[in-house]
Amino acid sequence: MYAYTDFDRDFLSERNAQFRAQVERRIDGSLTEYEFKPLRLMNGLYLQLHAYMLRVAIPYGTLNAAQMRQLAKIADRWDKGYGHFTTRQNIQYNWPELRDVPDMLDALGEVGMHAIQTSGNTIRNVTADHFAGAAAEEVADPRPIAELIRQWSTDHPEFQFLGRKFKIAVTGSDQDRAVTAAHDIGLRLVEREGQLGATVLVGGGLGRTPMIGKILNDFVALPDLLPYLEATVAVYNLLGRRDNKYKARIKITVHENGIDEIRRRVNAEFATRKAAFNGADMDMLKRIEADFAAPTFAAGQGAFPTHYQHDPVFRSFVDTNTVAHRHPDYTILTVSTKAHGATPGDATSHQMRVLADLAEQYAHNELRISHEQNVILPHLPKRHLRAVHAALAEVGLATANVGLISDIIACPGMDYCALATARSIPVAQEIAERFDALKLEHEVGPLKIKISGCINACGHHHVGHIGILGLDRAGVENYQITLGGDGGPDAVIGERAGPGFAYDDVTDAIERVVRAYLDLRTSPAETFLDTYRRLGAAPFKAALYPEEAKANAA
Amino acid sequence: MPRQFTPKVVTANALLEGDVVYLTKHGDWTRRHEEADLIEDQATADIRLLEAQALAHEVVGPYLADARTGPKGPEPVHFREAFRTRGPSNYAHGKQEV
Ligand code: HEM
Ligand code: SF4
């Protein structure tokens, strides 16, 4: 893991002291809200529906046990004993009081964490594949690059007032677990003739105008990467629209100018910027890479094969929640925060502490937060899996549903978010409980449902195999369904199925779509998405809107 | 033609805690929607909102929200405002917490 230098620590404590003074001046009346709001947002502090909300960055989703424990302590001491993990690898606290926030930031600073650039029109928390450094098929660990980008972008004077927020994601695997195509810039590490570099995608994004990123450059060698990124953001900063905030994202810039024109400008800018870098960034990268050196893996599986064979509950957990690690005696365990009926992404402070203990005791002191709102033990020796499973079961974290229908991404929606037009969380809870009651989810297999409470698409609904978007239709909650979206390497934006559904009808509608899939698939090996791609939307629409289907047939 | 006025309350969030609050007849803030001042005409609404904006050391982001008369006092019209009177639906947090 990246270890903070004295420079980093001083920077944070100075920054927190500044904010403490700003909060005091807001409370004593010397700052108006108009003056204070941009200052609090620079430190990740929002005002939501029922309270303030503090958004803390978990850079590229990586944290250690001490950091996780500190997140738990903050939840207990200054919030309501839980935190919410988000699709952007952040944790959000939903109930802080204004006076306490500087103390919360200091507590974060103690473990090298902060809330800087988790809001505002800047380069936001850099996200990465949550299996980084562990996945069997990985080309390279994306985290050193992500850390380099973080250092370059944090407080970068040129990029503090971009036209709009700017999101960068990095993957080192062709499976793309970082949804790179839905980011302003997506980086995919690739090797060419023995040299490491990145395919650079630009102009992806969800929200009001969802777009899949386009390839800006199919290979940028590592020494050119930072100047190339700087050139790209600089071109956007100059060319991007500022007349209309909905048109201010780089996806619109790319769309309106064309990818070729953007590429031409980036190349021109790159030619002048390159000189300023001098290779200092590559020296930095070398140092960062040393921090991310893999742990020493110990061989042996102990009694794992026997337990796997004889304990069906354990076997189901292993089959569903783990994937191949680069070392054969290790596994990558995804711990689901989506027990049926739970709030997706929420973890209590007690659960956080148990996860921290397990990471420390068994799994090389590393944890990850995924964009799917789950927690990962990336380096878990197979011989400890059973003990870990037992400990997780005691705190309600052993649900074997990763990648299944109840592993839903849901944004906070109108239960918390001031921008929402409908609720997301109760919809997710009801769908998960329905399929648990039906005992169908393992039979259905891989299926991603994603829910957002407004068109901003924080819940990634556009790239859900089934996406749900909550809207306000004449003062009542209404839910639009999209089908066939995908956030993987060949990302696709889902298609709107038709008119929306009332709050009380969404779960039934989802059940009809899923049952239609079970009837239509050629075999259990054909996933929902495969079936959808083979047959198109028509049979699923017929299941969603049976009355219309009947009328058309008549 | 001017749009017909529908009754309103002035609502905001408390500066320190962030709690949802409503302006009363007496110009102070209550956490209970029923105790809000139900405003029946545009001119009064405009004045009361200005009055609330002047209380920026107590609250954040005052605005006018539709409301109607209920058995115990003013009640919200839109579901968003109804959620704001309670707190989130996934936990007994916010105003539902006792
Ligand atoms: C509760 C406070 C939140 C606020 C006020 C908020 C605000 C927004 C806004 C305004 C956008 C649209 C930006 C644009 O298109 O220019 C957006 C997009 C997005 N947000 Fe949030 N959000 C919140 C919470 C979250 C949470 C909890 C998550 C993760 C669960 C999240 C992840 C995202 C993602 C992934 C996008 C779409 C990607 C893109 O920008 O294209 N946000 N958010
Ligand atoms: S999608 Fe909308 S409702 Fe959901 S968190 Fe984002 S801004 Fe809020």
Side-chain angles (χ1 to χ4, degrees):
Chain A
M1 278 194 38
Y2 177 69
Y4 265 41
T5 61
D6 286 343
F7 175 86
D8 298 331
R9 272 187 290 270
D10 291 349
F11 170 78
L12 270 195
S13 67
E14 196 174 309
R15 173 82 182 232
N16 290 350
Q18 278 170 10
F19 186 56
R20 185 178 293 279
Q22 289 158 355
V23 169
E24 275 163 19
R25 284 189 285 145
R26 174 67 182 100
I27 291 174
D28 75 18
S30 33
L31 285 178
T32 63
E33 186 60 21
Y34 181 75
E35 291 161 330
F36 179 63
K37 186 176 174 185
L39 301 172
R40 70 165 153 79
L41 288 175
M42 281 173 74
N43 291 285
L45 184 63
Y46 287 74
L47 183 66
Q48 291 296 298
L49 218 49
H50 316 288
Y52 289 96
M53 183 273 278
L54 181 67
R55 179 183 290 158
V56 175
I58 299 170
Y60 32 88
T62 295
L63 70 176
N64 61 25
Q67 291 173 322
M68 187 65 121
R69 273 192 205 106
Q70 194 76 340
L71 296 179
K73 180 171 138 186
I74 290 170
D76 278 339
R77 190 134 165 217
W78 294 292
D79 208 84
K80 292 188 189 288
Y82 75 99
H84 179 72
F85 293 114
T86 81
T87 47
R88 302 221 67 261
Q89 298 179 316
N90 296 312
I91 183 169
Q92 295 186 173
Y93 292 106
N94 285 320
W95 303 95
E97 294 193 7
L98 180 57
R99 226 184 262 297
D100 293 334
V101 176
D103 290 339
M104 296 169 84
L105 294 179
D106 280 346
L108 288 168
E110 285 170 22
V111 293
M113 297 182 79
H114 62 71
I116 296 168
Q117 290 182 205
T118 61
S119 176
N121 296 333
T122 60
I123 298 178
R124 300 287 189 91
N125 184 30
V126 179
T127 54
D129 182 353
H130 41 267
F131 295 165
E137 83 294 338
E138 187 173 84
V139 177
D141 187 341
R143 289 171 306 157
I145 301 293
E147 175 60 30
L148 184 70
I149 295 171
R150 178 169 85 121
Q151 297 199 9
W152 156 78
S153 63
T154 301
D155 248 20
H156 193 306
E158 188 180 347
F159 303 140
Q160 294 309 299
F161 298 96
L162 295 170
R164 202 70 182 84
K165 57 165 103 172
F166 202 93
K167 300 176 178 177
I168 303 179
V170 198
T171 181
S173 157
D174 58 11
Q175 315 246 320
D176 194 0
R177 285 168 291 255
V179 207
T180 55
H183 284 76
D184 295 285
I185 291 181
L187 299 175
R188 297 174 173 176
L189 300 184
V190 284
E191 212 174 60
R192 188 177 279 181
E193 290 155 15
Q195 197 190 12
L196 199 59
T199 300
V200 179
L201 283 83
V202 72
L206 302 174
R208 179 177 296 251
T209 319
M211 288 191 186
I212 296 298
K214 295 187 172 67
I215 293 183
L216 181 62
N217 192 324
D218 68 358
F219 188 84
V220 177
L222 279 197
D224 291 341
L225 189 60
L226 224 42
Y228 192 82
L229 288 182
E230 188 163 289
T232 309
V233 185
V235 165
Y236 160 67
N237 200 16
L238 285 174
L239 198 62
R241 289 179 59 168
R242 288 173 194 260
D243 58 320
N244 174 341
K245 82 176 211 188
Y246 302 116
K247 297 196 169 171
R249 297 291 291 268
I250 196 174
K251 60 190 172 188
I252 306 293
T253 317
V254 172
H255 182 72
E256 290 183 348
N257 292 274
I259 187 75
D260 295 328
E261 173 62 10
I262 298 294
R263 190 179 296 116
R264 190 188 65 73
R265 286 177 184 253
V266 169
N267 285 340
E269 192 68 33
F270 170 72
T272 59
R273 298 226 173 208
K274 171 74 181 135
F277 276 79
N278 265 333
D281 54 323
M282 287 297 100
D283 294 339
M284 178 79 87
L285 181 62
K286 259 196 213 93
R287 265 176 299 183
I288 294 172
E289 272 168 350
D291 283 333
F292 286 96
T296 315
F297 298 121
Q301 299 197 354
F304 169 75
T306 323
H307 291 142
Y308 182 78
Q309 209 180 350
H310 296 295
D311 179 346
V313 173
F314 178 62
R315 185 162 64 240
S316 160
F317 176 76
V318 174
D319 288 345
T320 314
N321 292 15
T322 71
V323 299
H325 190 274
R326 51 194 266 210
H327 190 289
D329 295 332
Y330 275 64
T331 191
I332 303 173
L333 173 66
T334 300
V335 178
S336 166
T337 67
K338 329 276 180 70
H340 302 102
T343 302
D346 277 11
T348 64
S349 52
H350 182 54
Q351 288 174 327
M352 289 186 225
R353 270 187 220 104
V354 168
L355 286 162
D357 292 347
L358 292 174
E360 202 168 55
Q361 193 176 351
Y362 297 117
H364 299 281
N365 195 21
E366 259 201 53
L367 296 140
R368 305 286 172 76
I369 306 305
S370 74
H371 76 270
E372 287 167 319
Q373 303 183 286
N374 290 319
V375 182
I376 287 134
L377 293 174
H379 302 301
L380 180 60
K382 286 183 181 165
R383 65 183 186 286
H384 294 318
L385 241 173
R386 192 168 150 98
V388 168
H389 177 243
L392 290 172
E394 273 180 36
V395 292
L397 286 175
T399 312
N401 67 342
V402 170
L404 303 183
I405 207 166
S406 61
D407 184 9
I408 297 171
I409 294 181
C411 82
M414 207 184 279
D415 286 307
Y416 297 91
C417 180
L419 302 177
T421 44
R423 286 172 298 168
S424 306
I425 293 167
V427 176
Q429 289 172 310
E430 195 176 315
I431 293 171
E433 284 176 330
R434 169 74 59 92
F435 282 90
D436 188 41
L438 294 171
K439 295 293 166 226
L440 268 181
E441 73 172 330
H442 283 268
E443 187 177 334
V444 171
L447 204 173
K448 292 184 196 285
I449 298 184
K450 303 179 197 259
I451 309 177
S452 304
C454 81
I455 56 168
N456 286 327
C458 304
H460 282 193
H461 66 273
H462 295 294
V463 291
H465 303 165
I466 298 176
I468 303 175
L469 164 60
L471 296 167
D472 175 345
R473 283 277 172 267
V476 279
E477 288 166 298
N478 185 273
Y479 295 85
Q480 215 170 66
I481 293 182
T482 53
L483 296 170
D486 180 19
D490 304 308
V492 182
I493 303 292
E495 274 179 80
R496 213 185 111 184
F501 293 87
Y503 179 83
D504 290 331
D505 299 334
V506 197
T507 307
D508 289 341
I510 300 295
E511 186 183 331
R512 289 200 299 278
V513 175
V514 173
R515 287 194 186 275
Y517 152 68
L518 290 174
D519 289 343
L520 292 164
R521 70 183 179 186
T522 50
S523 80
E526 191 182 58
T527 64
F528 176 86
L529 198 58
D530 293 339
T531 307
Y532 181 86
R533 286 178 177 166
R534 178 170 57 84
L535 296 173
F540 297 97
K541 285 188 188 172
L544 274 175
Y545 307 100
E547 294 307 317
E548 270 170 51
K550 241 184 276 163
N552 289 342
Chain B
M1 228 181 57
R3 272 211 323 161
Q4 201 189 331
F5 184 81
T6 51
K8 303 269 189 296
V9 295
V10 177
T11 181
N13 289 78
L15 171 65
L16 293 180
E17 301 85 3
D19 291 358
V20 174
V21 293
Y22 306 94
L23 192 65
T24 68
K25 276 202 166 43
H26 315 290
D28 45 28
W29 298 98
T30 173
R31 279 160 169 71
R32 300 166 57 88
H33 197 288
E34 313 88 81
E35 295 170 2
D37 177 24
L38 189 69
I39 306 163
E40 305 277 2
D41 67 282
Q42 187 70 58
T44 313
D46 292 344
I47 291 169
R48 299 237 69 196
L49 184 58
L50 282 173
E51 200 184 307
Q53 282 162 349
L55 298 172
H57 52 292
E58 295 174 7
V59 297
V60 184
Y63 63 94
L64 295 167
D66 281 330
R68 63 181 161 229
T69 315
K72 285 188 273 169
E75 55 186 42
V77 173
H78 192 274
F79 65 90
R80 179 180 194 272
E81 293 305 321
F83 293 145
R84 286 179 80 241
T85 65
R86 290 200 291 272
S89 31
N90 57 338
Y91 305 115
H93 287 164
K95 288 169 191 270
Q96 349 170 43
E97 200 164 29
V98 272

